[in-house]
Each structure stands twice: as structure tokens, then as C-alpha cells.
Amino acid sequence: MKSVVFFLLLFCYINQSFGQSASALCASNKQQQLHKKPVANAKSMASMNDYDINYVKLDIAMDPYSTAISGNALIKAKVLANALSLFVFELTSVLNVDSVLINNQNLPFTVVGNTREVSIPTSIPHTANFTAQIFYHGNSGTGGGTSLGAGINSTFSPSWGNAVSYTMSESYGAYLWWPCKQSLHDKIDSSDVWVTVPDSCKAGSNGLLQQVTLLPGNKARFEWKNSNPIDYYLISVAVAKYIDYSIYAHPIGTNDSVLIQNYVYDNPNTLPFFKANIDQTAQILEYFTTVFGPYPFMNEKYGHCMAPLGGGMEHQTMTSIGSFGSVAVIAHELAHQWFGDHVTCGTWRDIWNNEGFAAYSEYLYENHFNGAAAALQQMNTVHSSVLSSPAGSVYVDDTTNENRIFNTRLTYDKGSAIIHSLRYVMNDDSIFFLTLNNYKNQYAYSVAVGMDIKALAENTSGLNLTDFFNQWYFGEGFPTLGGSFNQNGNQVALI
């Protein structure tokens, strides 16, 4: 009887996934109702702009059955202000800070909403480097947050029954589980994430796994190192009883291979069920390198951690993914490594820079792997979604509302459609894909906004795209065309 129930749940889950587009699945995972960005006071915000983060190391403990977390965050930074006398960071007031060390000096702090403020007795001078180490603990699941599902989530897979704890930070949820500065423009130059878990589990994160250190009390510490710039919301952890199913991609034009490391539920049915689709990841990565340029994280990896969520979340080099049932979802999240991770939107108003291009990559995937008819069907579905309402622009008008930021119709579908339109306005695929490569190269490991793409497209193509962007990026609605004519024999005249 248990096996019957299991396969009924699995059947329902997979059919639910297949009933939505990849973009809709990804959007539904990110957009949440009636939750707003936490607004720090002006003083706190200004103080966080007084320093630039160079490095973060998280040394934390988690398990798959709880949203509890404990450990410390080590931050290495450089002073941007004339002098730094106040160090401010974001962390939900639900989590307890045990101590804060600035340059190894234990200093008192005050709680101001969801920030902590540390007065520094002797100001740190302009351009000087300093360290801040924050020891903290608590249960992140009791604090709510900017969006349902942000912070640490601990739940069971509805299809496979595996217990998982995993983090979600986009767009404003990193402060719910680690002490941070939530600024898109301050990419962290490199990071380490060390996660201590029960030794029956694995912990997946960004970059490359350096080693697994066995500890007393049946614990194991997974030590991950990321050597590339990373935005605050792309740092992640997922903990469960996983197996490691690793394969390799072999991009054209290089002798190097790319590790594709998949943490799949340790369930005898899971990997056999999804193996064929997981294996396609290597082929998609190889194809995307031919149109987007080299994989940005060749020196590390690409990978997936399974977690009970809709669609996926493009955590840098280690996507969190609910299911491998949709290869289009795999393609969408992989494309984010170029558009969203390698180059990140400079503001949440310009989330199109991330999601529009990842959504359009679904069309490219369909056309290359499944043929023109499948690609046409995919784009017709996109157009039907866009045409279902005239309201709203791709450019986000309310960045405090994640429903608006991750609106399926506007950010994903219309974002994808205007890229398709831009391709045909250029009327030259070599120019179109050169534009994408120029964008990637100019803003490599940094951030950009929609107008940066416009400028690059104009410089590369020689076109004036002001009207195009005013209409399709900033504008709302769509044209409704009509006409009248008279026919006299074989002669047709417009009225």
C-alpha cells in the first residue's frame, strides 16, 4: 500500500511540474504574496556603503530536520569612507548574535531592527583592510521574513520523502540566515562555506568541495571554496541524505572538462528516474558555450542540489532544483550562470538582465535540441502569456514586492519575447550573439542594468534602439493593428 501511495504522489508531482512552463515554475518559486523588503534606517544603509566586502567565510552547523543554525561568519573588507567608526551588517533580530570581533577585538553592538551596529573605538582609516567575525545562533524558521520560503527551509520532499534543509536568499532573504550586506553592487570577491552536518548527510554549496572532515559526535564538515566574485543572494547551502552523481561536460574549443556535480536524494528510485535528464545537462552546457561564450566558472563546476521547491534557484555553480523532470528548467537555471551569476542585474528593477535571458534560453534550448516546431510552440506559449493583459512593463516599478519582481508574464515571458524581437530587429544572428558575448565580457563578474544592454546592442549593431526600449522595456501594453481595404477584381486598395 505504501508503494502505491508513493507512486501516486510522484505521478501528481511530476504532472504538476510538466503542466507549467519552466519560467512559470521558476517564477512561482521566487514570487510570494504580500511580503516586502525590510527597510533599514538611512544611517544603517549609509554605513553599509562605507566598506567593500572582499571575502566571506561561513562556518556553520545545520541538519536536514531543522531550521536551526549556529556558527560564525568571517568578513574581510576594505574601508571606502574617509574613516570607518561604525560597522553595520544585516541579520534578522530572531537570530542571536553572541559576539562581534573587529580586527580580533570583541566589541559591543546594538540591535537596530534587522541590523547590528558596532561602534569602533579607533576609526579604521580610508582604504585600510579589516576583518569582522560574527558568532551567532538561533532558529531562522521562527522569524518570517521578506518572502515565504526565504532563509532556511526545512521540509520533506513530497515525492521522494527525503528530509532537506536548504537556503533561499533571492531577493532580500540572505539576512535571514547569515550576517550580510545585501547590496547587489558589492560582489564578494571570493568565499568559503563550511557546513557541519550529521555524517549520514551531505552539504552542497558553491565552488569546489575541498575536503570532508570527520568530527566527533558522528558529524562531518563539508568545506566548499568559491574563487569567483559572488553576489550575496547566490551563496547557498543544502543539507540532506544525498548521493553524489557527477558527470563531465566537454565544451568545444577547449581541452578542459567541466565537472557537473549533482547531489541527488539518497533514494533507490530517484537517480534512475532522473538520470537521463540529468545527463543532458552536459550537452546543454556544451551548446550554451557555443552561443554565450565559455562557461564562466570553468575553474570550479556546475551542479545541482535537490530540494523541495518549484522550479529551481540559480545559486552560483550549484543550482537548487526541485525536480529534473523538466529539461527546460535545467536549461533555464544553467543559463543563469551566464545571465544572473556571471553578470548580475545591477538593480532589482532590471531583473530582466537575469530572468529575461534565462527564459529566452529555453527557446534556444528547444530549437537546438527539439527542433524549430518545438521552439515555435514554446514562443507561442510565451506570446499568449504576454498578450493575456496589457498592463505592466518589463522594467520593475515596485522592487519591494517579490510578486512584481518575479512576475511570470512580465519579467520572464515578456522579457524573453523582447529579446526574441531584438534578435529580429538586428536581423543578423552573428551581431545578436556577439552582443550577448560583449555584454558578458564587459560586465564579467560584475553587475549591469538594462540600459547597459541597450548601449552594447547599439554599439555592436549600429542601430538606434531608443524607441525599441521605450516601447518594449519601459512601456506597457502591445500594439493592436487593424485596417480596411477594397477589392475590385484582382486590385486591392487600402482605405
Side-chain angles (χ1 to χ4, degrees):
M1 184 62 182
K2 289 183 180 178
S3 60
V4 173
V5 173
F6 168 77
F7 282 108
L8 280 173
L9 285 170
L10 178 60
F11 177 81
C12 293
Y13 178 74
I14 290 170
N15 276 275
Q16 180 185 24
S17 297
F18 288 157
Q20 301 181 64
S21 70
S23 290
L25 283 168
C26 296
S28 65
N29 177 51
K30 295 178 179 181
Q31 63 183 211
Q32 303 294 339
Q33 296 285 348
L34 303 177
H35 287 272
K36 304 290 185 178
K37 173 185 177 181
V39 179
N41 62 51
K43 177 185 174 184
S44 295
M45 292 303 296
S47 295
M48 281 186 281
N49 290 329
D50 286 346
Y51 63 88
D52 174 69
I53 297 178
N54 300 318
Y55 169 79
V56 166
K57 178 183 177 181
L58 301 182
D59 186 354
I60 55 177
M62 294 172 54
D63 73 60
Y65 300 100
S66 170
T67 57
I69 185 170
S70 63
N72 73 88
L74 174 66
I75 297 171
K76 296 181 180 180
K78 180 180 180 179
V79 177
L80 300 179
N82 291 331
L84 187 71
S85 58
L86 186 71
F87 176 71
V88 180
F89 61 91
E90 295 181 71
L91 185 69
T92 174
S93 58
V94 171
L95 292 175
N96 301 300
V97 172
D98 302 308
S99 60
V100 179
L101 280 66
I102 305 294
N103 287 338
N104 295 318
Q105 182 181 4
N106 195 337
L107 295 176
F109 58 87
T110 57
V111 179
V112 182
N114 289 308
T115 63
R116 305 295 199 283
E117 298 185 352
V118 186
S119 293
I120 303 171
T122 303
S123 296
I124 304 172
H126 177 62
T127 74
N129 296 315
F130 70 96
T131 63
Q133 191 169 20
I134 299 104
F135 292 83
Y136 69 107
H137 73 277
N139 193 321
S140 72
T142 62
T146 61
S147 65
L148 298 173
I152 300 176
N153 303 273
S154 182
T155 187
F156 286 82
S157 164
S159 301
W160 305 103
N162 297 74
V164 188
S165 288
Y166 63 97
T167 62
M168 286 288 290
S169 299
E170 194 180 23
S171 49
Y172 307 113
Y175 84 106
L176 292 169
W177 69 279
W178 69 278
C180 61
K181 170 185 173 183
Q182 296 191 125
S183 168
L184 290 168
H185 283 263
D186 190 359
K187 278 201 168 182
I188 302 160
D189 298 339
S190 63
S191 59
D192 286 299
V193 177
W194 289 12
V195 193
T196 299
V197 297
D199 61 10
S200 59
C201 297
K202 296 184 187 297
S205 190
N206 317 96
L208 286 174
L209 182 62
Q210 302 299 294
Q211 64 180 5
V212 179
T213 301
L214 297 180
L215 301 172
N218 299 317
K219 300 288 185 180
R221 185 174 64 220
F222 285 72
E223 301 171 10
W224 293 87
K225 175 174 286 296
N226 158 56
S227 302
N228 293 291
I230 187 170
D231 236 313
Y232 70 89
Y233 74 92
L234 294 170
I235 293 177
S236 72
V237 176
V239 177
K241 290 184 178 179
Y242 290 122
I243 60 170
D244 182 339
Y245 174 62
S246 290
I247 58 176
Y248 288 87
H250 303 278
I252 297 171
T254 176
N255 293 324
D256 292 337
S257 58
V258 179
L259 170 66
I260 300 176
Q261 188 171 20
N262 304 284
Y263 274 15
V264 180
Y265 294 143
D266 186 6
N267 180 310
N269 299 307
T270 309
L271 179 58
F273 192 86
F274 289 123
K275 183 179 181 299
N277 285 2
I278 296 172
D279 289 345
Q280 288 190 56
T281 309
Q283 301 167 40
I284 300 169
L285 189 149
E286 291 163 2
Y287 165 61
F288 280 169
T289 63
T290 68
V291 291
F292 300 150
Y295 176 63
F297 308 108
M298 284 284 293
N299 63 330
E300 294 181 346
K301 71 170 189 312
Y302 183 61
H304 303 96
C305 280
M306 293 192 75
L309 49 88
M313 173 59 213
E314 63 276 11
H315 295 125
Q316 190 163 303
T317 72
M318 195 62 139
T319 285
S320 300
I321 195 164
S323 165
F324 297 97
S326 168
V327 181
V329 170
I330 296 173
H332 178 109
E333 303 304 338
L334 174 56
H336 269 308
Q337 301 304 304
W338 286 265
F339 302 99
D341 295 8
H342 183 223
V343 183
T344 306
C345 61
T347 74
W348 294 111
R349 294 186 183 279
D350 297 282
I351 186 63
W352 171 71
N353 291 38
N354 296 12
E355 298 298 350
F357 285 88
Y360 189 62
S361 299
E362 298 171 38
Y363 170 84
L364 298 176
Y365 155 76
E366 292 289 355
N367 187 65
H368 183 78
F369 289 94
N370 299 319
L376 177 62
Q377 182 179 358
Q378 193 270 351
M379 189 54 68
N380 284 340
T381 300
V382 166
H383 287 160
S384 295
S385 168
V386 175
L387 294 170
S388 65
S389 170
S393 68
V394 176
Y395 186 70
V396 176
D397 60 352
D398 181 4
T399 59
T400 68
N401 189 334
E402 274 145 341
N403 267 340
R404 179 61 185 90
I405 296 172
F406 301 109
N407 183 285
T408 304
R409 184 175 66 84
L410 299 173
T411 296
Y412 293 75
D413 291 338
K414 191 174 182 182
S416 171
I418 67 171
I419 295 168
H420 198 50
S421 298
L422 180 62
R423 182 178 179 183
Y424 281 88
V425 166
M426 290 182 169
N427 198 30
D428 186 329
D429 271 2
S430 64
I431 296 297
F432 173 75
F433 287 110
L434 179 60
T435 299
L436 300 190
N437 277 267
N438 287 346
Y439 171 68
K440 176 186 70 78
N441 293 334
Q442 182 163 336
Y443 296 100
Y445 306 105
S446 186
V447 299
V449 297
M451 288 298 91
D452 294 323
I453 294 177
K454 174 182 180 290
L456 273 171
E458 289 180 330
N459 291 337
T460 307
S461 68
L463 298 171
N464 185 328
L465 298 170
T466 298
D467 287 345
F468 180 89
F469 273 79
N470 284 343
Q471 290 172 344
W472 297 111
Y473 188 57
F474 297 109
E476 298 189 30
F478 46 82
T480 301
L481 306 177
S484 301
F485 64 91
N486 284 333
Q487 182 172 357
N488 185 4
N490 291 327
Q491 301 297 314
V492 176
L494 293 175
I495 298 175

